Amino acid sequence: MSTTISIIGAGYVGLVTGTCLAELGWNVICIDKDAEKIRSLQNGEIPIYEEGLQQLVTRNSLAGRLSFTTECGQAVRHSRVVFLAVGTPQGDLGQTDLTALKCAAKEIAHNLRDYTVVVVKSTVPVKTYQSVFNIILEYKPPDTRFDIISNPEFLRQGSAVRDFLYPDRIIVGGRSKKALTIMRRIYSSFIHRHVNYIESSNETAELIKYAANTFLAVKISYINEMADICEMSGADINQLARAMGLDKRIGPAFLKPGPGYGGSCLPKDVKSLIWSCSEMGYNFRIGAAVDQVNRGKRGSVVNKIRELLGPLENRNIALLGLAFKAETDDTRESPAIHVARSLLDSGASVLAYDPAAMDRACLDIPKLECVNSPYAACNRADLIIIMTEWNRFANLNYKRIHKLMARPIIYDTRNLLNPRKMLKLGFVYFDNGRVPFSAAVENMAHLRLGWARRKNARVSRKAGFALQKA
Ligand code: UGA
């Protein structure tokens, strides 16, 4: 295995891809412009929270198969295969910003010597491979040859290493037989294990990524709308989702209701596909509906809190969970961040706790107060809102929490807790399509009546003492 592989971009995708390729036995050089990041990686420090990655980076660095550099030119000159794994963020209008990708393509071109396979790993709109090809063609030295392969990634944050090493499928798009043969060699261990290995055109490979992510978003928005319908009709979303998922044609994954999908991929990719379609003169209606439902879900979370508590000025809200999903420290496009901002804008005071994502969230929202335990967040709170499905939130001491709170109200947007148990403990509890909001409003009215009675009793007791004294 003498082929050296360069990975341009040591972010989330590049780092996981490079490390896992090294684990498969390849010599890998990860390149990034961020000198600080490269220094940390050279010292064995991982800039992201990803299960299993630290051990793999250490093992492969020590074995001499994995190295990190800021020197793009030198690495490219030594590599037969160069992966492009740079960020492709969302532009202002929903389009994908390809600046970093184009810049990297130029850098490859300037350093092209022998035949090189350029593999686009970043998520890019259909036909982007053509722009990469044109740039390299324009800037490369004469008489040098290259091919472009489109090889999208399907790595979920939190399980990216597992997803890379045990994939459902590998998609390799390209036209050149030579490049396709080299890619088959790189992925030979998967082919031997009979992992689904699909070769297609570049366009198809690029579009598969968007089609897959958008379909996942469709499932989530669908189940979230179903949760609303369950609430209106008194049905139970968990039972409904389970029954739906048992149909093999539907499958159980991505049918968990929540406050809407977030992260750096699904929201961006849905918008990008809508944008690409509009550029081709097509109105991608399902995509637009999914995006609209997702944004609506976050809004309705805040509206329910407002409906229950009245004006939010000076209300204390405990917000449990800031990451866009469990097992990650990422808060990009996190529904929790949107909800926290909205609550703060409405005048509420928000105490937040997350096991992994507090540093980033506090930097993003200076007005947000992050505390170091869920109990501290719940102290004197008027309402707890669970935004991220961290398992540990299901196992908190809710008896203790009940005593700590000013008003014992829980809004469980992830259906993490046992409603019966919570109601038994005396909470006003509502969630996402299991315990209807109307029941919580009714419970709240009873509670208010109870408070009023207790208050009146205190008043009449005082009056009684006054009479006795007189
Ligand atoms: C997603 C895809 O799942 C990966 O296959 C893809 O490679 C990746 O994007 C990417 O394009 O790089 P990721 O962003 O890590 O992965 O997150 P997901 O696990 O897909 O979750 C996305 C959002 O949907 C989260 O906010 C999560 O809480 C929410 N979700 C997920 C639900 O609300 N319900 C579900 O049933 C599943």
Side-chain angles (χ1 to χ4, degrees):
M1 276 201 191
S2 63
T3 305
T4 296
I5 298 173
S6 274
I7 313 270
I8 304 186
Y12 190 80
V13 171
L15 187 57
V16 172
T17 302
T19 307
C20 289
L21 286 172
E23 178 69 9
L24 295 177
W26 298 101
N27 286 324
V28 178
I29 309 171
C30 287
I31 307 154
D32 205 289
K33 284 203 159 100
D34 183 341
E36 185 59 41
K37 186 194 278 180
I38 290 297
R39 234 190 324 275
S40 309
L41 285 165
Q42 285 167 338
N43 292 330
E45 290 156 25
I46 307 296
I48 52 173
Y49 177 88
E50 190 60 49
E51 203 190 325
L53 189 60
Q54 177 76 62
Q55 294 94 303
L56 290 196
V57 169
T58 308
R59 181 158 73 218
N60 287 287
S61 302
L62 287 174
R65 286 190 298 265
L66 181 64
S67 58
F68 302 95
T69 182
T70 50
E71 293 298 315
C72 184
Q74 206 182 13
V76 169
R77 286 195 293 276
H78 281 99
S79 301
R80 185 108 191 262
V81 181
V82 179
F83 279 75
L84 279 167
V86 294
T88 48
Q90 191 181 306
D92 295 341
L93 303 168
Q95 81 280 27
T96 302
D97 180 350
L98 297 173
T99 313
L101 188 86
K102 290 180 175 170
C103 201
K106 255 189 213 172
E107 198 133 13
I108 293 174
H110 291 311
N111 292 287
L112 216 60
R113 297 293 177 268
D114 300 322
Y115 172 77
T116 305
V117 182
V118 178
V119 185
V120 183
K121 195 68 159 159
S122 309
T123 300
V124 291
V126 62
K127 286 190 177 300
T128 299
Y129 82 95
Q130 193 67 56
S131 319
V132 176
F133 180 85
N134 292 342
I135 291 170
I136 300 181
L137 196 65
E138 187 181 343
Y139 291 97
K140 76 178 183 65
D143 300 329
T144 45
R145 293 193 317 109
F146 71 99
D147 282 307
I148 305 274
I149 290 288
S150 303
N151 174 217
E153 53 84 17
F154 301 99
L155 311 175
R156 283 165 302 173
Q157 284 185 234
S159 55
V161 170
R162 199 171 350 116
D163 287 346
F164 190 97
L165 295 174
Y166 303 95
D168 290 336
R169 76 298 209 191
I170 293 172
I171 310 293
V172 177
R175 284 182 178 76
S176 145
K177 276 197 180 144
K178 187 173 179 178
L180 289 172
T181 307
I182 292 173
M183 291 308 289
R184 253 177 260 143
R185 247 186 81 215
I186 288 177
Y187 288 124
S188 57
S189 60
F190 297 103
I191 296 172
H192 290 146
R193 270 164 39 204
H194 304 291
V195 169
N196 292 307
Y197 188 85
I198 297 170
E199 287 180 353
S200 68
S201 67
N202 294 83
E203 290 86 348
T204 307
E206 289 172 331
L207 199 51
I208 285 171
K209 172 65 193 259
Y210 283 94
N213 269 6
T214 304
F215 192 71
L216 294 175
V218 167
K219 281 188 100 174
I220 297 167
S221 282
Y222 185 86
I223 209 65
N224 280 341
E225 281 216 282
M226 277 296 150
D228 290 344
I229 298 171
C230 281
E231 261 191 57
M232 285 183 265
S233 57
D236 181 310
I237 189 66
N238 276 20
Q239 286 181 349
L240 181 142
R242 181 162 180 267
M244 270 180 73
L246 287 171
D247 185 329
K248 289 191 182 66
R249 294 167 304 173
I250 298 172
F254 278 71
L255 288 182
K256 285 202 197 86
Y261 57 80
S264 62
C265 306
L266 261 48
K268 167 181 83 103
D269 292 351
V270 171
K271 287 196 188 79
S272 172
L273 188 53
I274 297 171
W275 172 269
S276 304
C277 287
S278 75
E279 289 287 284
M280 293 186 277
Y282 182 71
N283 177 13
F284 180 33
R285 286 152 296 178
I286 290 183
V290 163
D291 183 46
Q292 195 193 350
V293 169
N294 198 52
R295 280 184 283 120
K297 194 77 193 180
R298 296 165 184 171
S300 84
V301 166
V302 178
N303 286 345
K304 278 183 179 163
I305 296 178
R306 205 174 277 127
E307 208 177 308
L308 206 63
L309 294 183
L312 293 179
E313 280 92 9
N314 305 321
R315 292 284 190 225
N316 297 321
I317 312 284
L319 193 138
L320 299 185
L322 290 159
F324 79 97
K325 64 174 185 178
E327 307 307 328
T328 176
D329 61 350
D330 199 337
T331 56
R332 282 176 290 175
E333 281 297 312
S334 171
I337 297 292
H338 286 272
V339 166
R341 276 215 176 91
S342 241
L343 292 170
L344 288 165
D345 288 347
S346 305
S349 129
V350 182
L351 284 193
Y353 170 78
D354 187 287
M358 291 204 292
D359 293 350
R360 289 185 189 208
C362 288
L363 278 180
D364 279 358
I365 318 177
K367 262 165 78 184
L368 185 69
E369 251 186 271
C370 291
V371 289
N372 59 11
S373 98
Y375 299 102
C378 297
N379 197 20
R380 282 195 226 133
D382 292 303
L383 180 142
I384 298 173
I385 179 163
I386 300 179
M387 289 298 298
T388 312
E389 72 280 28
W390 288 101
N391 255 337
R392 65 188 78 183
F393 293 156
N395 302 317
L396 297 176
N397 181 345
Y398 281 95
K399 217 172 177 179
R400 177 177 165 201
I401 288 180
H402 188 282
K403 285 193 192 130
L404 287 173
M405 294 181 75
R407 298 169 199 228
I409 308 171
I410 299 182
Y411 183 4
D412 176 6
T413 70
R414 297 279 186 170
N415 295 0
L416 206 60
L417 308 180
N418 180 333
R420 225 179 284 160
K421 202 171 145 194
M422 290 303 123
L423 294 171
K424 216 167 145 197
L425 282 173
F427 283 103
V428 172
Y429 172 89
F430 61 110
D431 55 21
N432 203 351
R434 288 187 306 180
V435 179
F437 180 61
S438 56
V441 174
E442 228 172 84
N443 265 346
M444 188 72 187
H446 287 309
L447 215 66
R448 274 206 192 100
L449 212 66
W451 289 330
R453 274 208 199 107
R454 273 207 299 275
K455 201 171 145 199
N456 286 342
R458 273 202 299 273
V459 171
S460 53
R461 243 200 335 264
K462 265 192 202 159
F465 289 141
L467 271 178
Q468 272 174 19
K469 275 186 185 168

